[in-house]
Every structure is written in structure tokens, then in C-alpha cells.
Amino acid sequence: MALAQITQIVGADHVWTGQLMQPFLTDWRGRYQGDALAVVRPASTAEVAAVVRCCAQHRLAIVPQGGNTSLCGAATPSQQPAIILSLQRLNRIRSIDVDNDTMVVEAGCILQTVQEAALAENRLFPLRLAAEGSCTIGGNLATNAGGTQVLRYGNTRDLVLGLEVVTPSGDIWHGLHGLRKDNSGYDLRHLFIGSEGTLGIITAATLKLYPVPVAQYTALIALHSVSAAVQLLNHCRQGFAASLTGFELMAHNCLEAVVQCFPEQRIGFTGASAQAPWYVLLELSDYESESHARERLEHILGQALEQHIALDVIMAENLTQSQALWHLRESIPLAEKVLGKSIKHDIGVPTSQVAAFVEETNALIQQAYPGVEHVIFGHLGDGNLHYNVAKGSAYSEAELLALEQRVYRIVFDQLTKYQGTISAEHGVGQLKRDWLPQYKDPVALQLMHQIKQALDPLNIMNPGKVLSQQEK
Amino acid sequence: MALAQITQIVGADHVWTGQLMQPFLTDWRGRYQGDALAVVRPASTAEVAAVVRCCAQHRLAIVPQGGNTSLCGAATPSQQPAIILSLQRLNRIRSIDVDNDTMVVEAGCILQTVQEAALAENRLFPLRLAAEGSCTIGGNLATNAGGTQVLRYGNTRDLVLGLEVVTPSGDIWHGLHGLRKDNSGYDLRHLFIGSEGTLGIITAATLKLYPVPVAQYTALIALHSVSAAVQLLNHCRQGFAASLTGFELMAHNCLEAVVQCFPEQRIGFTGASAQAPWYVLLELSDYESESHARERLEHILGQALEQHIALDVIMAENLTQSQALWHLRESIPLAEKVLGKSIKHDIGVPTSQVAAFVEETNALIQQAYPGVEHVIFGHLGDGNLHYNVAKGSAYSEAELLALEQRVYRIVFDQLTKYQGTISAEHGVGQLKRDWLPQYKDPVALQLMHQIKQALDPLNIMNPGKVLSQQEK
């Protein structure tokens, strides 16, 4: 009955069931398997709104899905009956206003397509993350995606001026303005961004664009400790200011794993520096010239060497070398995958606390489970680490995974101590939904429930994600 | 009865009535006069929470007030019975974390005190606006204040990582983290920021700090049109990127008024440039050196002269000259005041639309009311203009003010056409509350009402501001 109405709205070709539906029912990591009546593929905002109204009428849950690259099961159905609402056909770049440095894009645009459309107008859309070739901007918005350029440009929410949203009642909020200042009422934009589809469906957004750097330089820096890496970060923030666009931390064993899995890659250091316990990949973006960028990098990193903050430095001499350095960093998650499953965390702490957090938490985990291996890398510039725990030589994969909940507990308790977050950039989804009530401020959680109840009283918008119904 | 309880909470010395209360009952511009049972001055977040619980119990409206510098009547009581809750005694800098580039401040801190505390640690808190010597950071947060550095650092909301908030039920949300990434649930921070005290009371905030520039240069540029000013903006955005920290537009008559009112000030241009119709005040912040800043400024502005975008340029040769240029800009509102009351607008449009908006709207107003004078200045970098209308020689002050509502109508209709906003940086308060339903997207307005109802069902938090009760 509901599906018949929905079919009338979007057309029979765009209501997928059976085998066609399978790829949409499992998440990226293969942790979650859901079920749905159908995958519904509307072609326009009006069709999305009509589908939502129909679902509201029939109390049918709606799971919005973009590129299906959630790392927390946020786009996989967890309650029945449900439809998956795929935004893939809303994939137009609606407009680019070069003089306002903005573009309007539909939710289903692939992130890379957005980046390329901006570049074609000599503008930069600076969101950059591993899944950019398959994730959609709608998913980036729904999860407030982070990535590698946050220390300069902010999270996805900081790149958005306006939104178009279909509300849980099937109304359309036309909020696609390109204004850098707008104080005409509550900021609804930031409420929908990062709400993981539980408050409404973002169908389009006005994004901020930036000038394209004239030159970009990257460097790989060997360090003797996390503490030195934080010192280097502060040195670089002062020296480069807004020109510092990337600052990634990698433990030695991460790069070792990459080289082991992908023998065509190499770290580049020789001697003692090749055995340094920590490395930082740094990116400098310059608006003046190649030579100016190079001179600045040499000057500031020269100081870091003189002051013994850094052990050694490799500067990329050209674009190919620069890409090779980024490739090292980007290959870590793939190398991890090859080496076996691990217990993953997406944590955030104040940058001033990262070193103490890592040292103390490593020790606690070693004490509880001697011999597990720490696989630590991430966006140090934002205090955001992928603090992962692998089996090492002491455990089998099955033994390790059996420890998952207990390792989570140790790490999450430490995050409470260090005023950190259990989800820095990946979101909550299903993965951390039941942890949230234990670690989130109770008043914040209560406010979230009040807002959810006010905007989606039927609880049809991506139910079972972010908020648990039991805890209310 | 309620006041007796409140007196027990904060102490008799901090419940002010009668004459003591008078300065709190009128707004900065003298447009609004309110009444209150008392001005209540709690000393801590716990006292604020206890006062709110007491008010909730007695259905007593609460009007939060900081420095009482609202330009929209947002801090003046408009409904009875009410108390004014002054945050002035919550004025501690709680902590500064230099390695995390953050500081925690209480709502009652004067903005200038916050700036100075950051500077004492060699850090920049970049919010800068005319009232900084008397406004409080709590008011800046409640209104999401703008100011002159937004094109580089964003609005107040962009400078905040965490909040502490007393909710309308008197609970305390402890959200003062210093995290640059946190995706553990809905972004409540941005909901409270800019809600003008209608959803809760911000008692403290974790603010972002930035490195202090090594050098700052300002320049005054003479231009033949608004369109040329926008062209110059785009030229400078590409050339200076994040080093461009100020870009203020001023019409010739604005500077003329300043010189007339304050004869010790001078524009500095001679010949034809002294008669240019438009001027831009530009600020460049550099992290390298004085000489580098100067060289960049000469290079980029030299191009603008060669390309005939700019007519003429004055570069400040030293800090004194630089301050003199900023003083010209900052004196415009004072000069306006001396020259008589005007019809004021705080509008925002996409920067690509500013020139067309100004030209067309000026023409419409001249057509309706020939001889009124346009007094136009503001933050062109953000598309935010103070688009004011003065009596000129054709009207008396009383005649002009009688036209206010009709001039508003012309301007607001134009803003709809140009996808602009009727409040770019000052907020809604009482001044624009009844205009909002006419110009805001109806779905957005409905969502705002749903959120207000969910969080403040008793409507005790600053009632009569932002949202009208009739329109629901």
C-alpha cells in the first residue's frame, strides 16, 4: 500500500527490491546487515518530500543513504518496517557563484565531483577524506565529516552557508542562501548538519569556496614522541598560521604496515630516522609562489630541527613526491585491513592532552591485555586520532575481537578523564548509540531527545541511530 | 514570594530594584523601555540555575542581560512579570590552555577583557566590534555577533568550541570541551548561540584562540563604484587568502560626516581621490615580517591600480596611521548620531549581489522619497552593509522617522529579491520580531517554534524576543 504510493511518486524504475537492494543493506565495514521494503530513488526534492509524507502517513521508517560509506552503521536500516531513501539521483551541481565564492550542490553529488566542479572555476572546496571518490556530500553533511584539512578549513559544517531540507513532516525548508552573516533566527543549519538523518533529509546545500593555493608543499618529519609532535604543531601554527593545511600523526608501525602491504611504497628516511617512533605529515598551502612556500617551509622546519623538536625532515621536491607522502598516510587504513581486524576508535581530545592520553591509555591497555599492538594515526592538528588496537603476536583475531567492548570501556573512560569525545569525526550511528548515554552529558542528551521528539514525533527519520528509544 | 526566594539564592545585595534598576530597563539606542520586578545578579552558574528554577516555578519571565548593548532591544524586558538576569558578576577567565589554543570564559566578561587576556598569553581572540569595551562575551554569544574580522575568522559562533548553558528548566549543560572535532550527537552549541536568550542562558564558553600576527597593514582605497569594490574584494581574496582580515566599505558621505563631526580626523586623499564616491578600508595580517606584509600589500594593490580596479591607495606607514584609518571607519556610527537619527538596516546579501542591490534599492527609495540621503557602510567582505537612510535636506528628522516602516518594507522586499537577510549581524530582538514572519521561510519559522516549545514550554526565557507568540 505504502510502496504502491511511493512507486507512483518516483516511478517503478526507481523502487528497487530483491537482489537490486542487496548492496544497500550492508554497511561499508560489513558490521551491520539490515532489511528494507525497498530502496527508493527519488529524482528531486519535491519527490523526496512526497515520499516522506507518504512514509509519515504509514509510519514507515526512512533510512537516508548517500554513498553508503558510514563507518558507524548510520545508513543501514536497524528497525522495521523501513525504506532506504537513496539520494543518488539528486546529483546536480545546481549553480556556482564565483564572485560570492559559493556553490549549490544536491545531496547525491559525489564529494570528488564537487571538488572538481569547484576546481573547474578555479576555486577550492577543501573537504578532503579517504572516501571522497564514493561518498556523497549529503552523507558528509549528515555526519559533519572531518578529514585531513580540518585544522585550516574546519569540519563539513564550517563549509556550509545554506541548506535545503525535507522535514519529517514532508515540508521543504528552503534555506539555500549564500550569506556569510545571517542572524535572522535560530541556526537550523547546524542542527541538521551532523544529525545523521534523524531530524530530516538534507537535499541540497550552499557550500563555501576558497581560492586555490598557488603552491603546496608537504614534508615528512621524524619525531621521538607524541609530545614532540604537539610541540611541532604549536610551532607550525605560529609560523605558518592559516597556511598550515595538514598535520597528520603516524606511529612507526603504521608506516611499517603500509610498506609491508604495499612494497612499492617507501618511507624515505634512512638510518636512525627510519626507526623513529613517530612521524608527522605536514602540508603547507601558499598563495604567493613555489619559492616562497619552499623558503617558509625550510625556515620553520629548520627552526624545529635546531630546537631539537624534530629529529629529521624529508621535504617533497615535487608534486609526485608530495603525492607519495600523502599516499603513505592514506594507505594506513588499507594496510590495517590487510593485517587483520582491529578494535577501532575515532577519538578526540584537546591537542594539549594528546600525549598524556596516548601514554596513559596505552599503559592501561597493555596492563589489561599484554601484547596487543597499538596502531595510532590521525589528525593531530584537530586532536583527533584513530586510536586502534590490533592483535599483535599475543592474540588471535577472534580473541582480540572478543575484547572489543572491554577495550572500548577503557578508552572511553580515559576520554572522560581527558575531556575528550568518543566520536570525533565518524558520528554515532548504531555503533556508538548505546555508549552515548553512558558518556554524554545527561542534560545534553535530554536536550537531544526533546529536539528529536519535537521535530520527528513519529520517529520515522532514521530510527535507531544516534539516540536510543529506551533511554528517554 | 518569588523575589524572596531569589534573594535567598543570590543575597539581598544582588537583587536591585528602584533607581538602581533604571540603567538596565532601557536599551542602548533608547528605543525600548521595559519594566522588571528586579535586576538579579547571580555570582555563579549554580546560582543562575537556582534562579531559573525559581522563575520556572513562578512562571516569571527571565531577560538575560550582559553589557546591554543590543541594537534590537533583545535585552530589554517586553513582557510582565519579568526579572532581568544580569550576568555581570560571572566575569572570570576560568582558564587558558595555550597548547590547545583555547580559553574558558564566563558570560559576563567584557569582550575587551577577553581580548586582553588572550594577548597576555601571546594569542589572538579575533572578535572585534565597536562595543568591545562594554559588551560582554555572553551577549556576543547570544546574538552571534559579527564585527570587522568575520571574513577571516567567522562570526562569534565560529570562535566557540564548547558551552556551559542553564536550560529553561534550570538544568546545567556542562559542554565546555576544547575539542575541534566532536560528532557525538546534535550540535546544541550552535542552537544556543544566536538564540538571543530565548532557549537558555549561556553562562560560559570555550573560545578558540589564534596566533598573533607579526605585522598588520591597513590601506584606504578610493573606488569609483560598489562594483569596483567587489572586484577588489575578489582580487584581494585570491591574492591575500587568509591574510585578508578586514574589508570595510564606506560611501563618501560617511567619511565626510566623520570629518565634519570630528575635525581632527582627515581622509588623507587629495585631488580627485578625495572626492571618490566609495572607499574601502583593507587590513592585511602577516605572520612573516613587516617587510613581507608591506611588499605583499604593494604588490596586490599595485595590480589593482594597474588594472584600474582601484582609483588611488593610501597605505598606513605605521601603527598610528593604521589606527587613524580604523578610527575613521569606527567613527561613522558616532558621526551619524551627531547628524541626526536615521533609518537603519543591518542587511546581508551575497557579495556578488551587493552592487546591484545598492544601485536598485537606492533608486527605489529615491523614487518613493526623493531627496533622502543614503548613508552606506559596512563589512563588504561578508556582504553585510549598514544600509542607512538619513533625512538629507528634503526632510525633517520627524518626517523621516515617520517613513521608517515604509522604508523597511522597500528594503526588506529587495532583500527577498536578492536572497538576502533582514538581520545580518545584530539579531532580531524586538526590533525585527514582527517582520520575521513576513520575510523568513515559513518552514524555518515553524521549526523555530517547535524547538522553542520543546525547550521552553513555559515560555519564560526572554519572551517576546525573536519569536512572536501570535504567529504560531
Side-chain angles (χ1 to χ4, degrees):
Chain A
M1 165 88 180
L3 265 197
Q5 281 179 31
I6 288 171
T7 304
Q8 283 206 319
I9 296 165
V10 301
D13 285 354
H14 303 296
V15 178
W16 291 1
T17 55
Q19 273 309 310
L20 271 178
M21 191 162 67
Q22 290 311 311
F24 297 80
L25 295 176
T26 310
D27 73 309
W28 181 257
R29 280 188 176 158
R31 286 181 71 108
Y32 298 97
Q33 174 70 36
D35 199 10
L37 296 181
V39 173
V40 178
R41 305 172 72 248
S44 66
T45 303
E47 285 188 10
V48 173
V51 170
V52 171
R53 283 195 299 275
C54 177
C55 290
Q57 192 189 332
H58 295 279
R59 304 287 193 275
L60 199 53
I62 301 166
V63 181
Q65 196 179 96
N68 196 16
T69 61
S70 170
L71 298 175
C72 303
T76 311
S78 65
Q79 288 186 22
Q80 296 306 315
I83 62 158
I84 290 173
L85 194 142
S86 168
L87 278 305
Q88 287 177 345
R89 290 176 70 215
L90 275 81
N91 61 358
R92 287 184 310 140
I93 307 278
R94 288 198 194 158
S95 60
I96 302 189
D97 182 347
V98 172
D99 284 345
N100 194 44
D101 272 342
T102 51
M103 70 194 293
V104 178
V105 302
E106 291 184 345
C109 290
I110 303 289
L111 173 53
Q112 196 176 324
T113 309
V114 175
Q115 295 166 342
E116 288 168 358
L119 263 186
E121 297 289 343
N122 194 30
R123 291 293 185 276
L124 175 73
F125 179 64
L127 184 63
R128 205 165 84 193
L129 45 88
E132 61 197 21
S134 50
C135 66
T136 62
I137 189 72
N140 301 146
L141 292 160
T143 58
N144 184 34
T148 61
Q149 307 278 294
V150 171
L151 86 164
R152 164 63 186 99
Y153 299 101
N155 295 284
T156 301
R157 68 170 70 258
D158 301 304
L159 302 173
V160 178
L161 296 179
L163 287 185
E164 178 185 86
V165 173
V166 173
T167 71
S169 54
D171 293 315
I172 301 170
W173 167 37
H174 296 283
L176 282 178
H177 66 69
L179 303 171
R180 276 164 176 80
K181 283 182 174 169
D182 179 20
N183 278 346
S184 65
Y186 304 160
D187 197 314
L188 302 169
R189 169 185 52 156
H190 286 304
L191 190 59
F192 287 107
I193 296 173
S195 68
E196 304 187 22
T198 64
L199 297 177
I201 301 170
I202 297 170
T203 50
T206 309
L207 305 176
K208 282 190 210 171
L209 302 177
Y210 289 83
V212 178
V214 170
Q216 280 189 318
Y217 266 88
T218 55
L220 189 66
I221 299 139
L223 297 139
H224 57 78
S225 66
V226 178
S227 177
V230 173
Q231 231 184 313
L232 180 67
L233 172 65
N234 289 330
H235 176 69
C236 290
R237 277 203 281 226
Q238 178 63 49
F240 298 128
S243 298
L244 181 66
T245 47
F247 200 94
E248 299 288 310
L249 180 73
M250 301 169 284
H252 183 272
N253 62 348
C254 296
L255 293 192
E256 215 171 44
V258 169
V259 176
Q260 188 185 332
C261 289
F262 309 106
E264 72 283 9
Q265 294 201 44
R266 35 193 299 282
I267 304 182
F269 283 114
T270 53
S273 308
Q275 296 307 317
W278 297 95
Y279 297 94
V280 158
L281 173 59
L282 176 155
E283 183 186 80
L284 173 71
S285 297
D286 194 279
Y287 288 85
E288 211 167 316
S289 64
E290 286 280 346
S291 61
H292 179 257
R294 191 176 175 87
E295 182 196 305
R296 288 303 291 163
L297 197 59
E298 282 173 356
H299 177 63
I300 300 293
L301 292 184
Q303 290 177 332
L305 284 169
E306 275 165 36
Q307 295 168 25
H308 304 291
I309 301 172
L311 296 174
D312 205 352
V313 171
I314 294 176
M315 278 177 57
E317 295 289 328
N318 52 46
L319 190 62
T320 310
Q321 288 182 14
S322 183
Q323 285 170 339
L325 289 183
W326 271 111
H327 194 44
L328 271 176
R329 162 64 184 88
E330 285 158 0
S331 299
I332 297 173
L334 296 171
E336 266 195 301
K337 219 167 185 164
V338 173
L339 296 178
K341 287 192 174 169
S342 63
I343 302 173
K344 294 181 195 302
H345 302 89
D346 165 39
I347 63 124
V349 289
T351 52
S352 54
Q353 305 297 316
V354 173
F357 172 86
V358 168
E359 187 180 351
E360 197 178 295
T361 312
N362 282 2
L364 286 172
I365 291 175
Q366 281 303 324
Q367 200 181 332
Y369 309 109
V372 295
E373 187 178 355
H374 302 284
V375 182
I376 300 172
F377 63 98
H379 320 295
L380 184 61
D382 324 310
N384 172 204
L385 294 185
H386 301 303
Y387 181 88
N388 298 343
V389 177
K391 63 186 175 63
S393 50
Y395 297 83
S396 71
E397 198 172 286
E399 283 168 345
L400 180 83
L401 293 181
L403 303 176
E404 189 171 67
Q405 302 296 309
R406 281 174 283 171
V407 173
Y408 281 170
R409 174 72 69 194
I410 294 173
V411 173
F412 293 172
D413 284 350
Q414 282 290 100
L415 288 168
T416 303
K417 177 174 172 187
Y418 283 94
Q419 301 190 283
T421 177
I422 66 170
S423 177
E425 61 173 5
H426 294 166
V428 178
Q430 300 181 61
L431 184 66
K432 292 174 186 162
R433 179 195 61 205
D434 297 330
W435 288 102
L436 208 58
Q438 302 175 60
Y439 290 99
K440 187 91 180 169
D441 178 85
V443 174
L445 203 64
Q446 178 62 31
L447 289 165
M448 286 169 59
H449 276 291
Q450 287 172 323
I451 292 164
K452 170 72 174 174
Q453 173 67 28
L455 267 52
D456 182 23
L458 303 176
N459 191 29
I460 57 167
M461 288 307 313
N462 213 6
K465 314 298 162 54
V466 185
L467 292 171
S468 156
Q469 287 314 299
Q470 284 81 51
E471 80 210 22
K472 268 204 293 190
Chain B
M1 167 86 180
L3 264 197
Q5 282 180 29
I6 288 171
T7 304
Q8 283 204 320
I9 297 164
V10 302
D13 285 355
H14 302 296
V15 178
W16 291 0
T17 54
Q19 274 309 310
L20 272 177
M21 191 163 65
Q22 288 312 310
F24 298 79
L25 295 176
T26 311
D27 73 309
W28 180 257
R29 279 186 176 159
R31 286 181 73 109
Y32 298 95
Q33 174 70 37
D35 200 8
L37 297 180
V39 174
V40 178
R41 305 172 72 248
S44 68
T45 303
E47 286 188 10
V48 173
V51 170
V52 170
R53 282 195 298 273
C54 177
C55 290
Q57 191 189 333
H58 295 280
R59 304 288 192 276
L60 199 54
I62 301 166
V63 181
Q65 195 179 95
N68 196 17
T69 60
S70 170
L71 298 174
C72 303
T76 311
S78 65
Q79 288 186 22
Q80 295 307 314
I83 61 159
I84 290 173
L85 194 142
S86 169
L87 279 303
Q88 286 177 346
R89 290 176 70 214
L90 275 81
N91 61 358
R92 288 184 310 141
I93 308 279
R94 288 197 195 160
S95 61
I96 302 189
D97 182 346
V98 172
D99 284 346
N100 194 43
D101 272 343
T102 51
M103 68 194 294
V104 178
V105 303
E106 292 184 343
C109 290
I110 302 289
L111 174 53
Q112 196 176 321
T113 309
V114 175
Q115 295 165 343
E116 288 168 358
L119 263 186
E121 298 287 344
N122 194 30
R123 292 292 184 278
L124 174 74
F125 180 65
L127 183 63
R128 205 165 86 193
L129 46 86
E132 61 197 19
S134 50
C135 66
T136 62
I137 189 72
N140 301 146
L141 292 160
T143 57
N144 183 34
T148 61
Q149 308 280 293
V150 172
L151 86 163
R152 164 63 185 100
Y153 299 101
N155 296 283
T156 300
R157 72 169 68 257
D158 301 304
L159 303 173
V160 178
L161 296 179
L163 287 185
E164 179 185 87
V165 173
V166 173
T167 70
S169 54
D171 293 315
I172 301 170
W173 166 38
H174 297 283
L176 281 179
H177 67 69
L179 303 171
R180 275 164 175 83
K181 283 182 175 168
D182 179 20
N183 278 347
S184 64
Y186 304 160
D187 197 315
L188 302 169
R189 169 186 52 157
H190 286 305
L191 190 59
F192 288 107
I193 297 173
S195 68
E196 304 187 21
T198 63
L199 298 177
I201 300 171
I202 297 170
T203 50
T206 308
L207 306 176
K208 280 191 213 171
L209 302 178
Y210 289 83
V212 178
V214 170
Q216 281 190 315
Y217 266 87
T218 54
L220 188 66
I221 298 138
L223 297 139
H224 58 76
S225 66
V226 178
S227 175
V230 173
Q231 231 183 313
L232 180 66
L233 172 65
N234 288 329
H235 177 69
C236 290
R237 277 204 281 225
Q238 178 63 49
F240 298 128
S243 298
L244 182 66
T245 48
F247 201 94
E248 299 288 309
L249 180 72
M250 302 169 282
H252 184 272
N253 62 348
C254 296
L255 293 191
E256 212 171 48
V258 170
V259 176
Q260 188 185 332
C261 289
F262 310 105
E264 73 282 9
Q265 294 200 44
R266 35 194 298 282
I267 303 181
F269 283 114
T270 53
S273 308
Q275 296 307 316
W278 297 95
Y279 297 93
V280 159
L281 173 60
L282 175 156
E283 183 185 80
L284 173 70
S285 297
D286 193 279
Y287 288 85
E288 209 167 317
S289 65
E290 287 280 345
S291 61
H292 180 256
R294 189 173 179 89
E295 181 196 305
R296 288 303 291 163
L297 198 58
E298 282 174 354
H299 178 63
I300 300 292
L301 293 184
Q303 289 178 332
L305 285 168
E306 274 164 35
Q307 294 168 27
H308 304 291
I309 301 171
L311 294 174
D312 205 351
V313 171
I314 294 176
M315 278 176 56
E317 294 290 328
N318 52 44
L319 190 63
T320 311
Q321 288 182 15
S322 183
Q323 285 171 338
L325 289 184
W326 271 112
H327 194 45
L328 270 176
R329 163 63 184 88
E330 284 157 1
S331 300
I332 296 173
L334 296 170
E336 265 196 301
K337 218 165 186 169
V338 173
L339 296 177
K341 289 193 170 167
S342 64
I343 302 172
K344 294 183 194 305
H345 302 90
D346 165 39
I347 63 125
V349 290
T351 51
S352 54
Q353 304 298 314
V354 173
F357 172 87
V358 168
E359 187 180 352
E360 196 178 296
T361 311
N362 282 0
L364 286 172
I365 291 176
Q366 281 302 323
Q367 199 182 333
Y369 310 108
V372 295
E373 187 178 354
H374 302 283
V375 182
I376 300 171
F377 62 99
H379 320 294
L380 183 61
D382 323 310
N384 171 205
L385 295 184
H386 301 303
Y387 180 90
N388 298 342
V389 176
K391 63 188 175 61
S393 50
Y395 297 82
S396 71
E397 197 172 285
E399 283 168 344
L400 179 82
L401 293 182
L403 303 177
E404 190 172 66
Q405 302 296 309
R406 281 174 284 171
V407 172
Y408 280 170
R409 175 71 70 195
I410 293 173
V411 173
F412 293 171
D413 284 349
Q414 283 290 99
L415 288 168
T416 302
K417 176 174 172 186
Y418 283 95
Q419 301 189 284
T421 176
I422 67 170
S423 177
E425 61 172 6
H426 294 166
V428 178
Q430 300 181 60
L431 184 67
K432 292 173 186 164
R433 179 195 60 205
D434 297 330
W435 289 102
L436 208 58
Q438 301 174 60
Y439 290 100
K440 188 89 180 169
D441 178 84
V443 175
L445 203 64
Q446 179 62 31
L447 289 166
M448 287 169 59
H449 275 291
Q450 288 172 323
I451 291 165
K452 170 74 172 171
Q453 174 68 28
L455 267 52
D456 181 23
L458 303 176
N459 192 29
I460 58 167
M461 289 307 313
N462 212 6
K465 314 297 162 53
V466 185
L467 291 171
S468 156
Q469 287 314 301
Q470 284 81 54
E471 81 211 21
K472 269 203 292 189

